[in-house]
Amino acid sequence: MAVDDYQKYLDPKILAQLEGLQLRARRIVEGYVSGLHRSPFHGFSIEFAEHREYAPGDDLRYLDWKVFGRTDKYYLKQFEEETNLVCYLLLDTSQSMDYRSADAPMSKLDYARCLAAALSYLVLQQQDSVSLATFDNQVRALVRPSGNPSHLEQLLYVMDQATAERKTASGAIFHELAERFTRRGVVVVLSDLFDNVETMMAGLKHFRHRRHDVILLHVLDPAEVEFPFRRTTLFRGLESMPNVLVEPRALRKAYLREMDRFTHELRKGCRMHQMDYVPMRTDQSVAAALSSYLATRKQQPHSTQS
Amino acid sequence: MLLAFGFTNLALLGWLAAAAVPVVIHLWNRRQYREMAWAAMEYLLAAVRQSRRRMRFEQWLLLLVRVAIVVVVVAAVAEPYVERSGLLLGPTGPRTHRVIVLDGSFSMAYTHEDTSRFDQAKALARQIVEASPQGDAFSLVLMAAPARAVVGTPALEPAEFLQELGSLAQPHATADLPATLALVKQVLDAARAEQPGLEHREVYFLTDLGRCGWAPEGDAQTAEVGRQMARALGDEAAVAIVDLGQPGRENSAVVSLASGTTMPTVAEPVHVQVGLKHFGHQARKAQTVELLVDGQRVAQKQVDLPVGSGVSVGFTHRFDTPGEHLIEARLADDHLTIDNHRWLALTVKPAIEVLCVDGRPSGKARDGAAGYLAVALAPESDSAGPRRVQVDVAPEAALLERNLDHYDCLFLCDVAQLTKAEARVLENYVRAGGGLVVFLGPQVKTARYNRTLGGSDGLLPAKLGRVLIKKEPGIDPKEYRHPIVAPFRGRERAGLLNTPIDKYVQLDVPADSTSQVVLATPRGDPLIVERSFGRGRVVLVATSADTSWTPMPMWPSYVPIVQEMLAFAAGGRLARKNVLVGQPIDSVVPRSVAGTTGRLTLPDGRTEPLPILAGDDLPRWQFTDTLQSGPYTARFGEGKGVRHHLGEAPSGPFRQMVPGTFSLGDPEVQILAVNVDPAESNLAKLSQQELRDEIWPGVAFDYQTTWHEPTAPEAVPVTRRGSLARGFLYLLLGLLLSETFLAWRFGHHTN
């Protein structure tokens, strides 16, 4: 199958039609992401591989003093790249994630699943470990990190079984998980982040305190971003929120302003704590969104490397 | 409230229920919502909290505008109008000058159920004023003869106008429509010049449409001029005629009151003739006519009044005392009382004082140029008892020596010539109301006469020519038209027609003069010519008073014709004492009271100051505001020269005046009588159709009638409507534009 053929399956609409997360993840990664030359995740290596001559700007910590003593030349120690990266995927399965507008190809939860599956696939492909936690107002499932390729199936199974039923309380969850994730790694949060920004940021800050690399994949429905409704609508609140009957046209401006304020706060918080904030729309191509972000990330000096 | 809105098609207002449609749609829209689960509810709720008040305001505003659109559409289709339950013609808007024309004819005094038409008209006028918006101006014109602008300059203060209106008494005049129209135009023109802000003009005629005032019998040309004026008025202003008259009304009236003599004296009884007439369809039986002299009833008679024809009733009364007297004929009151009274003012003298100026005095009785004349003037002088005529015979020097005011009539008999001073004395005498009869004769120097007394402004009614000898027999009585010869009609045995005249002076009557020929020769040469001069009258006789030119003094016709000439020449004063309503009254006063101010007591008891005017060397007074009928009593120099006479104090105008207390030459009290025009007593009125077809064809006016509700002028169903449809359509346009804008503006949040 040509690459172009895979491309078209990367469209969320097509993906939604494909049953099974594994297939979706494979298509996403094989069709696009796997074409990348290097892993975007730089792990920590312990097994020595070779020496390289020092060049200005190199980290002096990796200077091989023994060789310097022997040869009077500066050599850096290069390590064997080993899968020691742990990618913690935190999948929000609160009720709000179940929202899917009429024009959207899939719900936010489905989209987040796709993302999580694709990332799992990608990380496992690189022989790294993936851990998965689903949560709403408490941790619903926690899959321990593993680098075994067969681990993917378990991950996908857990994702599939997750149902969106309850309210979010992300702040406490993040604190709890931060305590439980003992190995440093990359924490990827897949959520609509409809929660108290302050408590949520406090929880995320905890991850950063544990020196995890944090990536917020903010999944939103296009309707939530654009609020395109015209007819009088009774909005039924999810997660125990009240119902409200409104004239959407009259409210749009104020709503968009509120949304903007919300995302602005998120961005600001992420920037402050050196976390990556990645807005995602469920009508976007998962692969495109993911690859675009990963490409950007590769170009950045990574905090976890420091 | 006098201002009201209404709709022509009231039934269409049922569609106002459609105003509920926008509300129903709004509510239906709210019920026709879709349901949707929503995740980002926190932010939606925040937005709702922020926008709730604004959204509610916008919704209400839009809903209000949409409801208003439906209401205005329905209202416009139902043809709205503004209605003034007064008499106002125009729509509200520009300032309006309202000219209210009150019919001042006395038929407006017709009273029905204790309310006269005039009172009703005043109530309507008040209603018009009170219903008018602030800023309008009002004028009040009295349609009378003469027409009067009671409030000429537009009154901006309704209170001032209403005060004038309230103080307006019922005039006893007739209606002069052409003069009124001219006055209304004058008032409108003046108002336009003085107050250009009064854009709209309305004229209201509050009238009973009496035929006498609105369709007087006159020449067609006058009627056409009236029509043109009415058309011009209709073009310039909105005209409304409010008909206050009731058709087919009955009315009895005293239509005339006259004395048989022009110079009543205490010497002989005065014969008074009372004319009565009933206007209507049912004859009146046994109507009582009373005769009052100086306020005292002296006689009464019962008469039957047939329909259509007049009845004359004669009374005889002898005045015991000389002086100013007032006779009143009175008929029992009916619905219109003004014409049930008629007055006659008389100056009763002890005797008629005549001065005969003899051009050829002889010293012997019955001799000289005035000998025969003196006898003819007072033929009963030899008999016992009071003398009716007191004749003084004197030479021409008496003209300057004697006080001529003392005499009622002067006779010049063959006076050769008159000096300028004498001529001036004579002129003043005649101008003041005296009578002058000039007989010619052989001595007369015609050229001097022409020079001193002739001319267009001279005393003589004709220019004297040469002396002619009459050849053909007989006299032309000019059809007995003149009052001097009128008694000879049918009395051929009196011998007037074959009166012998040998010589006479040719009299040349100027074509443009007011002189009238009384008698003439068969050839057409005038023998007797008369003219009025000032208040007096001059009679010129072409022949002599004695037998020098004619044997006429011995002829049977001589005495009667001399008596008639005396009565006519001396009657000038009496004619000025009895006038019709609207005509000015005036009189001369003795020089003794010149420079003082007298008082005039009007028929309603009010008194007016009466300044004495000095003009033409004759002190006199004048009063023009004679809109009330009845006696007008002028008093001068209170107490001076008044010889009080013990007697019973009468009522009325004689309250402060005892009858018969004034002798000749003491005219400190003068009584004049003002009577109504009997033509107005006929209550026949015009119908609306006649008005439109015959009187004012082609004139734009609005006819309104109230006569069926005479007792409740407040409830007069006279209304005028101004369409508001156009205003409503403009409003609708504005609302539609507003709705479009608001809907765009409020829906703009989505864009």
Side-chain angles (χ1 to χ4, degrees):
Chain A
M1 197 174 279
V3 174
D4 285 350
D5 291 334
Y6 285 112
Q7 292 279 1
K8 75 179 174 188
Y9 291 112
L10 295 177
D11 186 86
K13 285 178 187 164
I14 306 298
L15 278 174
Q17 293 166 3
L18 300 175
E19 286 188 0
L21 276 173
Q22 189 173 8
L23 183 61
R24 287 191 206 174
R26 203 175 69 237
R27 286 207 190 288
I28 293 166
V29 176
E30 285 179 357
Y32 196 82
V33 182
S34 64
L36 294 170
H37 180 65
R38 281 172 59 198
S39 165
F41 303 106
H42 297 274
F44 304 92
S45 271
I46 48 167
E47 283 186 29
F48 174 77
E50 56 182 350
H51 282 99
R52 177 171 68 81
E53 207 165 355
Y54 172 80
D58 282 345
D59 195 339
L60 290 178
R61 283 187 299 170
Y62 302 112
L63 201 66
D64 195 332
W65 297 108
K66 289 180 182 171
V67 174
F68 174 69
R70 252 195 331 257
T71 62
D72 214 17
K73 288 180 180 173
Y74 301 104
Y75 281 98
L76 291 182
K77 281 192 280 186
Q78 295 251 304
F79 297 90
E80 188 77 29
E81 191 176 73
E82 193 181 284
T83 311
N84 62 344
L85 169 83
V86 180
C87 179
Y88 300 101
L89 298 174
L90 305 188
L91 179 62
D92 183 357
T93 58
S94 68
Q95 208 180 6
S96 66
M97 287 294 285
D98 207 21
Y99 176 72
R100 176 192 169 187
S101 68
D103 295 334
M106 61 178 79
S107 71
K108 291 188 281 185
L109 183 57
D110 285 343
Y111 194 87
R113 278 173 182 150
C114 280
L115 280 171
L119 284 172
S120 306
Y121 187 83
L122 182 66
V123 173
L124 288 172
Q125 283 274 316
Q126 292 177 171
Q127 313 300 319
D128 291 326
S129 301
V130 178
S131 171
L132 172 69
T134 61
F135 68 95
D136 37 51
N137 56 357
Q138 53 183 289
V139 178
R140 292 289 159 194
L142 182 62
V143 181
R144 296 198 168 277
S146 169
N148 193 329
S150 62
H151 184 56
L152 181 64
E153 279 182 28
Q154 192 193 351
L155 293 175
L156 297 183
Y157 175 75
V158 171
M159 285 180 212
D160 239 356
Q161 292 304 305
T163 51
E165 284 170 354
R166 294 179 187 79
K167 210 169 168 322
T168 321
S170 53
I173 305 286
F174 291 164
H175 280 298
E176 184 190 333
L177 291 175
E179 291 298 323
R180 287 166 79 166
F181 294 161
T182 48
R183 281 183 65 189
R184 283 175 63 197
V186 179
V187 176
V188 180
V189 180
L190 301 114
S191 169
D192 55 10
L193 304 175
F194 290 162
D195 199 356
N196 186 298
V197 176
E198 212 171 311
T199 56
M200 190 167 62
M201 276 296 159
L204 291 172
K205 223 166 97 181
H206 200 163
F207 283 123
R208 287 294 294 141
H209 185 70
R210 294 278 178 175
R211 308 197 59 187
H212 293 292
D213 198 359
V214 179
I215 301 164
L216 285 183
L217 296 185
H218 191 191
V219 181
L220 287 174
D221 192 278
E224 288 171 338
V225 178
E226 293 170 359
F227 206 66
F229 313 111
R230 302 185 78 81
R231 283 178 54 193
T232 308
T233 308
L234 177 71
F235 291 99
R236 266 189 291 104
L238 300 174
E239 301 184 17
S240 314
M241 293 297 268
N243 298 348
V244 59
L245 179 68
V246 292
E247 192 82 41
R249 280 189 296 185
L251 266 182
R252 185 172 182 264
K253 227 173 188 174
Y255 170 82
L256 293 183
R257 200 163 49 236
E258 285 296 310
M259 274 311 268
D260 200 44
R261 196 166 55 77
F262 165 60
T263 53
H264 178 74
E265 277 182 36
L266 285 176
R267 280 177 199 278
K268 192 173 140 196
C270 288
R271 202 165 48 245
M272 266 173 68
H273 303 112
Q274 294 176 316
M275 299 183 278
D276 281 356
Y277 173 79
V278 187
M280 298 278 184
R281 284 171 56 138
T282 58
D283 60 344
Q284 267 180 328
S285 152
V286 176
L290 207 51
S291 60
S292 159
Y293 165 67
L294 294 178
T296 316
R297 185 179 165 86
K298 261 171 65 179
Q299 290 166 5
Q300 290 172 350
H302 211 271
S303 59
T304 54
Q305 289 176 332
S306 61
Chain B
M1 180 59 194
L2 295 165
L3 182 69
F5 291 100
F7 294 92
T8 309
N9 302 319
L10 210 59
L12 285 177
L13 288 186
W15 284 99
L16 276 180
V21 170
V23 180
V24 170
I25 289 176
H26 175 76
L27 293 175
W28 186 74
N29 258 343
R30 284 186 68 89
R31 299 207 31 104
Q32 291 301 310
Y33 56 84
R34 62 174 183 171
E35 245 179 279
M36 179 190 286
W38 186 249
M41 188 54 85
E42 192 182 333
Y43 314 103
L44 187 61
L45 288 173
V48 168
R49 273 195 300 276
Q50 278 181 20
S51 313
R52 181 175 289 138
R53 289 181 67 178
R54 178 182 56 80
M55 284 197 312
R56 191 165 293 171
F57 169 75
E58 288 177 357
Q59 276 182 357
W60 277 108
L61 185 62
L62 209 54
L63 192 63
L64 194 71
V65 170
R66 285 170 179 163
V67 167
I69 285 172
V70 178
V71 169
V72 170
V73 166
V74 173
V77 170
E79 294 182 32
Y81 58 81
V82 63
E83 184 175 88
R84 287 171 181 278
S85 55
L87 301 160
L88 305 191
L89 288 170
T92 54
R95 289 176 62 211
T96 304
H97 180 204
R98 296 196 161 88
V99 181
I100 297 171
V101 181
L102 282 186
D103 189 344
S105 64
F106 73 81
S107 60
M108 289 287 283
Y110 187 91
T111 304
H112 181 69
E113 294 180 7
D114 296 333
T115 309
S116 75
R117 295 170 178 174
F118 192 74
D119 290 341
Q120 214 179 330
K122 279 166 73 172
L124 289 174
R126 176 177 291 274
Q127 200 177 324
I128 291 170
V129 173
E130 287 173 349
S132 298
Q134 202 173 11
D136 285 0
F138 310 94
S139 292
L140 183 61
V141 170
L142 200 60
M143 179 174 164
R148 234 177 75 190
V150 181
V151 180
T153 310
L156 291 166
E157 279 297 320
E160 291 174 12
F161 180 89
L162 292 177
Q163 196 178 352
E164 284 286 338
L165 180 73
S167 62
L168 195 62
Q170 161 81 56
H172 298 179
T174 51
D176 186 348
L177 185 60
T180 306
L181 290 175
L183 184 60
V184 168
K185 180 163 174 44
Q186 205 178 318
V187 166
L188 286 175
D189 290 347
R192 192 185 289 114
E194 286 169 19
Q195 299 195 23
L198 296 169
E199 295 171 29
H200 195 70
R201 279 164 284 280
E202 293 174 3
V203 181
Y204 299 85
F205 287 89
L206 309 180
T207 173
D208 59 2
L209 278 181
R211 194 170 271 281
C212 171
W214 285 81
E217 290 173 4
D219 59 317
Q221 196 183 349
T222 312
E224 184 54 37
V225 169
R227 272 194 278 276
Q228 283 173 3
M229 289 167 79
R231 269 186 218 118
L233 186 64
D235 292 342
E236 187 180 4
V239 178
I241 290 183
V242 184
D243 186 1
L244 301 166
Q246 299 96 331
R249 297 293 166 173
E250 308 271 319
N251 180 39
S252 302
V254 181
V255 295
S256 66
L257 175 62
S259 77
T261 174
T262 56
M263 296 297 293
T265 62
V266 293
E268 59 179 0
V270 175
H271 186 69
V272 177
Q273 205 69 30
V274 181
L276 304 168
K277 193 167 181 179
H278 180 69
F279 303 90
H281 304 288
Q282 292 175 333
R284 296 288 165 97
K285 299 274 184 194
Q287 297 291 302
T288 303
V289 192
E290 297 174 320
L291 191 76
L292 295 90
V293 176
D294 299 338
Q296 303 285 332
R297 196 174 68 182
V298 295
Q300 70 173 48
K301 285 185 180 177
Q302 301 267 325
V303 295
D304 292 341
L305 296 179
V307 173
S309 59
V311 172
S312 186
V313 182
F315 291 95
T316 303
H317 179 75
R318 178 185 284 275
F319 289 97
D320 296 328
T321 52
E324 297 283 292
H325 290 280
L326 184 74
I327 297 176
E328 179 188 353
R330 188 188 286 176
L331 203 56
D333 283 352
D334 55 11
H335 287 297
L336 182 58
T337 57
I338 288 176
D339 59 0
N340 290 11
H341 304 254
R342 211 163 181 88
W343 291 267
L344 179 67
L346 294 173
T347 304
V348 177
K349 300 206 162 186
I352 302 169
E353 301 283 343
V354 176
L355 175 65
C356 290
V357 181
D358 196 341
R360 284 180 276 112
S362 69
K364 292 180 184 172
R366 298 182 190 176
D367 208 350
Y372 288 100
L373 182 66
V375 175
L377 282 169
E380 78 284 13
S381 55
D382 292 338
S383 63
R387 301 174 69 171
R388 195 180 76 86
V389 180
Q390 180 68 45
V391 182
D392 287 350
V393 179
E396 55 195 81
L399 285 177
L400 295 178
E401 290 168 358
R402 297 196 185 186
N403 180 10
L404 297 185
D405 293 340
H406 184 69
Y407 296 101
D408 296 304
C409 195
L410 293 185
F411 281 78
L412 300 186
C413 304
D414 198 16
V415 176
Q417 59 184 339
L418 292 163
T419 63
K420 281 185 179 172
E422 288 167 339
R424 197 178 312 115
V425 165
L426 281 178
E427 278 175 10
N428 286 341
Y429 169 75
V430 178
R431 192 175 284 123
L436 175 66
V437 181
V438 181
F439 279 90
L440 302 177
Q443 286 195 142
V444 168
K445 292 176 178 167
T446 55
R448 289 295 296 262
Y449 263 65
N450 286 335
R451 197 157 56 243
T452 53
L453 296 173
S456 60
D457 55 348
L459 268 176
L460 289 182
K463 189 182 173 190
L464 306 189
R466 57 203 174 87
V467 177
L468 298 176
I469 295 171
K470 185 167 179 284
K471 291 168 182 165
E472 64 276 24
I475 283 178
D476 177 9
K478 305 297 259 184
E479 299 176 3
Y480 302 106
R481 277 195 304 261
H482 199 274
I484 293 175
V485 290
F488 288 95
R489 185 195 300 271
R491 296 191 172 98
E492 310 303 335
R493 288 169 63 194
L496 177 69
L497 299 184
N498 51 13
T499 305
I501 292 170
D502 299 335
K503 282 185 183 174
Y504 62 96
V505 174
Q506 189 180 24
L507 298 181
D508 180 17
V509 180
D512 58 343
S513 80
T514 56
S515 304
Q516 290 191 42
V517 178
V518 180
L519 283 179
T521 65
R523 283 175 55 191
D525 286 340
L527 287 174
I528 300 177
V529 183
E530 64 85 9
R531 74 175 286 198
S532 293
F533 185 86
R535 293 158 198 280
R537 292 165 180 168
V538 182
V539 179
L540 176 61
V541 184
T543 188
S544 65
D546 62 357
T547 53
S548 52
W549 276 3
T550 169
M552 187 174 74
M554 291 178 289
W555 213 254
S557 62
Y558 186 67
V559 172
I561 205 158
V562 165
Q563 288 292 331
E564 290 303 326
M565 281 196 285
L566 169 65
F568 177 78
R573 280 193 179 124
L574 184 68
R576 303 292 289 241
K577 285 175 76 72
N578 295 281
V579 297
L580 291 180
V581 169
Q583 294 176 344
I585 50 175
D586 57 3
S587 183
V588 291
V589 292
R591 288 194 174 82
S592 57
V593 296
T596 65
T597 297
R599 284 182 297 113
L600 183 71
T601 306
L602 306 186
D604 56 8
R606 287 182 295 133
T607 56
E608 297 270 347
L610 205 57
I612 294 171
L613 315 166
D616 298 337
D617 297 331
L618 292 170
R620 62 187 177 87
W621 60 267
Q622 188 178 34
F623 185 74
T624 54
D625 190 16
T626 57
L627 287 179
Q628 306 287 316
S629 65
Y632 286 71
T633 309
R635 291 186 179 80
F636 304 95
E638 188 68 43
K640 183 187 171 192
V642 177
R643 293 192 293 273
H644 288 283
H645 178 88
L646 290 175
E648 189 184 349
S651 60
F654 301 92
R655 213 171 288 129
Q656 298 178 9
M657 191 189 92
V658 181
T661 55
F662 306 101
S663 64
L664 204 65
D666 275 336
E668 282 85 356
V669 172
Q670 296 174 338
I671 301 176
L672 294 94
V674 175
N675 286 303
V676 296
D677 186 344
E680 187 69 29
S681 296
N682 189 348
L683 294 180
K685 72 178 284 288
L686 290 174
S687 67
Q688 181 191 0
Q689 206 54 42
E690 285 171 321
L691 185 64
R692 286 199 190 279
D693 296 346
E694 298 167 25
I695 312 302
W696 277 6
V699 179
F701 69 88
D702 188 69
Y703 175 88
Q704 301 159 20
T705 181
T706 63
W707 67 268
H708 52 280
E709 285 186 274
T711 53
E714 299 79 16
V716 167
V718 180
T719 53
R720 284 298 299 164
R721 293 170 173 185
S723 175
L724 295 175
R726 179 177 290 189
F728 272 60
L729 288 175
Y730 282 130
L731 183 62
L732 177 62
L733 187 65
L735 285 171
L736 284 171
L737 290 174
S738 304
E739 199 272 345
T740 310
F741 173 75
L742 290 176
W744 169 79
R745 184 73 187 82
F746 298 161
H748 197 61
H749 304 291
T750 58
N751 300 330

